[in-house]
Amino acid sequence: GHKHEAIDPESATCTEAGHTSGIKCGVCGEILVATTVVPAKGHTEQEIAEVPATCTEAGHTAGVVCSVCGEVIKATEVVEAKGHQFGEWVTIIEATLEHDGVQKRICEHDPLHVETREITFGGHSHDWSAWAVSKPATCMTDGEETRECSDCHEIQTRTIAMSADYHKYVTDAAVSATCTESGLSEGAHCELCGHVVVAQTEIPALGHDYDEGVVTKNPEIGVEGEKLFTCHHDPSHTYTEKIPALVAPDYVYEEDCDIIEEEREVSEAAIIETKFESVVYVNNANYEYTSYQWYHNGAKIEGATEQYYKEEPQLTGMYSVIVTKKDGQQIKVCATPASTVSISKKAAYDLTVYPNPARAYETVTIKLRNVSESELDGAKMMIFNNAGSLVKTINEVAEYNDVNLPAGQYSGTVIIGQSKLNFKLIVR
């Protein structure tokens, strides 16, 4: 059977028909109870009353509107304002020697519209100028304004009352806050009475905002470096931090070193380094050694008892040294490739770094020159950041060595036997 579904009624409007309710099948759509058309009602007319124009305001004609739907059936038309049409002046108070008289005239369109004027004895009527300020009022004192008759030049004066409307405001300039001192926002006040219209508020001191620092002195083995920090707010505000000294790298020594005082058992040795191809010296960064005796090719060098020994024009042969520690213990540095200096007349070790400067994580090559494969055996490369921290170690050094580093300033050391090559690298 059919599934009954109601058809909702629709109300008729002024201009559109409606219909009654009905029933249809919700499945097949067949009309079971037909709806009946309800005709449109038509407009219900309501008159719009005429508004007469006056001297100063426009009016309009009558019109017609539907009171149900609001549709305008007959539009109104604007009637422009008439303007005044005054009659003749009529004297209502006669002028005398003691006082002026008064005349008036009436608008013919509206008797409520009346103009008056003063007349002097003898029939003169004043023709006053507009009021002009002769003394401005302020927030603290009254002012004055005057007008003058163009015929008889009589002058009238009236008072302008003092008022808060006449404040004379000036700007209170803002004061910028610094790292250590507070500032003020911009404000405003009356320069006459001091009234504050915009109060200045305190801006807290900024405090220091230091950058990441720039290394002004690189650390060395046994020597501290320095790092300078500058405030972003004020570059005259700086402070310096120490960078820890670099720690000497580990060296390998023969275990069967000769001991001068054979009754002492020793397990450590001094470090011999060279400088300028004519100086050999002991690295005493930890201040452990108090005296020295140098040997050349196994023979004692008379008078060579300083921390360093210099031979002109160039060091040649094998050098060793006996050092005395603070506790009196004596140690002889072994004559081995890792712990003695062997100098021959050959091209000096050298290196190049490229690209330099480099971009962050770009491959940078450290190329060694004048170094044989056998000399690189046991060589070591260390790279430090500008804070003095070790960031890269290469224990198997080759002729070409590639590194990839983040942005920063770096210093590096390559140790080949007892020789040391230093380099610097900037990564942006």
Side-chain angles (χ1 to χ4, degrees), residues 197-226:
V197 62
V198 178
Q200 289 184 288
T201 57
E202 183 175 347
I203 302 171
L206 302 176
H208 293 300
D209 180 19
Y210 289 104
D211 60 17
E212 295 180 356
V214 176
V215 176
T216 56
K217 178 182 177 184
N218 288 312
E220 299 179 5
I221 296 175
V223 180
E224 290 181 327
E226 289 185 352

Side-chain angles (χ1 to χ4, degrees), residues 57-336:
E57 295 183 0
H60 60 75
T61 61
V64 179
V65 66
C66 178
S67 62
V68 177
C69 67
E71 182 177 337
V72 176
I73 300 167
K74 180 182 178 183
T76 62
E77 295 181 2
V78 175
V79 179
E80 299 296 332
K82 299 176 180 179
H84 294 299
Q85 186 173 344
F86 289 106
E88 297 294 329
W89 289 102
V90 177
T91 301
I92 55 175
I93 299 176
E94 294 289 343
T96 68
L97 292 173
E98 288 77 21
H99 59 77
D100 291 338
V102 177
Q103 290 182 329
K104 73 175 182 179
R105 60 180 179 175
I106 301 172
C107 178
E108 294 179 1
H109 297 151
D110 187 343
L112 297 178
H113 295 168
V114 178
E115 282 189 341
T116 62
R117 67 180 182 181
E118 294 179 347
I119 57 173
T120 59
F121 184 71
H124 170 68
S125 59
H126 291 299
D127 183 12
W128 295 110
S129 64
W131 288 100
V133 176
S134 56
K135 176 185 176 184
T138 70
C139 55
M140 302 182 69
T141 59
D142 291 337
E144 284 184 353
E145 59 182 357
T146 60
R147 66 177 181 175
E148 182 179 357
C149 176
S150 61
D151 293 329
C152 66
H153 302 293
E154 181 179 339
I155 295 176
Q156 285 188 337
T157 302
R158 68 181 181 185
T159 299
I160 305 172
M162 64 181 177
S163 169
D165 295 336
Y166 302 123
H167 284 305
K168 188 176 181 181
Y169 292 117
V170 292
T171 299
D172 301 316
V175 179
S176 299
T178 67
C179 298
T180 56
E181 296 183 359
S182 60
L184 291 172
S185 65
E186 185 178 278
H189 73 279
C190 175
E191 69 177 357
L192 302 176
C193 66
H195 170 71
V196 175
V197 62
V198 178
Q200 289 184 288
T201 57
E202 183 175 347
I203 302 171
L206 302 176
H208 293 300
D209 180 19
Y210 289 104
D211 60 17
E212 295 180 356
V214 176
V215 176
T216 56
K217 178 182 177 184
N218 288 312
E220 299 179 5
I221 296 175
V223 180
E224 290 181 327
E226 289 185 352
K227 193 174 186 180
L228 179 67
F229 295 83
T230 304
C231 180
H232 289 298
H233 302 314
D234 187 340
S236 68
H237 295 170
T238 61
Y239 75 94
T240 302
E241 282 187 358
K242 295 292 185 182
I243 302 173
L246 303 183
V247 178
D250 295 333
Y251 291 86
V252 179
Y253 293 88
E254 296 273 350
E255 294 183 356
D256 58 347
C257 293
D258 293 333
I259 307 302
I260 300 305
E261 295 182 5
E262 296 182 354
E263 68 276 17
R264 296 180 180 272
E265 188 172 343
V266 183
S267 61
E268 59 182 311
I271 299 170
I272 298 177
E273 297 183 11
T274 61
K275 197 169 186 179
F276 309 125
E277 297 187 358
S278 62
V279 176
V280 62
Y281 70 98
V282 174
N283 185 334
N284 192 17
N286 295 323
Y287 305 101
E288 286 292 319
Y289 312 115
T290 59
S291 66
Y292 313 86
Q293 176 59 60
W294 287 94
Y295 289 78
H296 181 220
N297 294 331
K300 181 179 179 181
I301 305 173
E302 295 296 331
T305 58
E306 300 292 336
Q307 183 179 352
Y308 67 93
Y309 173 70
K310 182 175 182 180
E311 185 170 313
E312 296 289 353
Q314 186 176 358
L315 296 168
T316 58
M318 306 290 290
Y319 294 85
S320 58
V321 64
I322 296 174
V323 296
T324 303
K325 298 183 68 175
K326 292 179 180 179
D327 59 2
Q329 186 178 32
Q330 289 184 318
I331 303 169
K332 181 178 180 181
V333 178
C334 300
T336 65

Side-chain angles (χ1 to χ4, degrees), residues 390-416:
L390 181 65
V391 298
K392 180 75 174 178
T393 301
I394 300 177
N395 291 313
E396 295 182 2
V397 180
E399 181 181 0
Y400 293 90
N401 305 272
D402 293 336
V403 294
N404 303 90
L405 298 168
Q409 297 182 22
Y410 300 89
S411 58
T413 299
V414 182
I415 299 170
I416 306 172

